[in-house]
Amino acid sequence: DALHLEATVQEGQTTKTQNVVISLDSDPVKSMARTYPTLPPIDPLKLERASKVPIDNFCRRMIRLCNIVKAYEATGKMIQMGVQLGGKGVGKLHDDMYLNQVPHNRYVRQYFYEMAAEAALEATIICSNKQFTNRMKITALFPEMNPSMDSYRIGTLLEL
């Protein structure tokens, strides 16, 4: 449940090796708490229910850390890494989503509505337990409207 890093630093003729252990459920240091507010650790029961594959567990916890430090662009790469290393791809969209259809069909809309409702309910429960702030925001980034994912299609939509 931790990352074990061995760092070797060479300064001139001297070389220092240091071992560092970082918990996957760690929080930002107190001096950075204002810039990087923490998120609650992922419930182990949810991790177990989502996937029994250890790489998926690792990726979900790393995604939490990426969200804490506002490295949102890295979260998709974490999901992809999990898929490439044999995980189930927890958080990956299904292949039959057909997101290029505008407006989206009922199945796709229902999928995103249920995902947003589940996230809002989970956030409300965490907030009621005084584990998190009472401010919530749901951001939906559809690939067609996210220029970092698809710059050609966003240009086409803007021309319309």
Side-chain angles (χ1 to χ4, degrees):
D1 287 358
L3 289 175
H4 297 270
L5 304 174
E6 182 179 305
T8 303
V9 179
Q10 183 173 354
E11 293 179 7
Q13 300 296 328
T14 61
T15 303
K16 297 178 187 175
T17 301
Q18 184 177 6
N19 291 320
V20 180
V21 178
I22 303 168
S23 170
L24 290 176
D25 293 324
S26 60
D27 293 321
V29 292
K30 292 188 188 227
S31 62
M32 297 301 290
R34 176 173 245 163
T35 306
Y36 301 113
T38 190
L39 295 172
I42 299 173
D43 182 10
L45 295 175
K46 270 197 168 179
L47 286 172
E48 186 67 26
R49 215 174 338 132
S51 174
K52 295 187 184 331
V53 182
I55 190 66
D56 286 331
N57 181 329
F58 171 79
C59 289
R60 290 287 295 268
R61 293 163 87 186
M62 286 299 292
I63 288 170
R64 173 188 169 267
L65 293 175
C66 290
N67 282 324
I68 288 173
V69 297
K70 301 178 183 175
Y72 306 116
E73 65 280 352
T75 59
K77 294 174 185 163
M78 289 290 165
I79 292 171
Q80 188 62 34
M81 178 186 73
V83 171
Q84 291 175 354
L85 294 175
K88 283 177 48 182
V90 174
K92 183 176 183 265
L93 293 176
H94 302 287
D95 289 336
D96 61 349
M97 294 301 273
Y98 302 113
L99 293 175
N100 290 339
Q101 296 175 350
V102 177
H104 299 306
N105 63 35
R106 181 169 172 69
Y107 165 75
V108 172
R109 289 194 315 269
Q110 198 63 37
Y111 177 82
F112 287 112
Y113 295 158
E114 287 174 8
M115 188 184 295
E118 187 177 314
L121 176 63
E122 183 180 340
T124 304
I125 291 169
I126 291 170
C127 178
S128 68
N129 293 336
K130 307 277 191 250
Q131 296 175 340
F132 203 58
T133 181
N134 61 354
R135 300 177 93 185
M136 290 183 258
K137 176 179 167 181
I138 294 178
T139 305
L141 292 174
F142 289 94
E144 293 88 0
M145 301 306 291
N146 187 353
S148 68
M149 296 178 89
D150 194 346
S151 58
Y152 174 74
R153 227 173 261 119
I154 189 72
T156 304
L157 288 172
L158 289 173
E159 287 175 2
L160 295 175

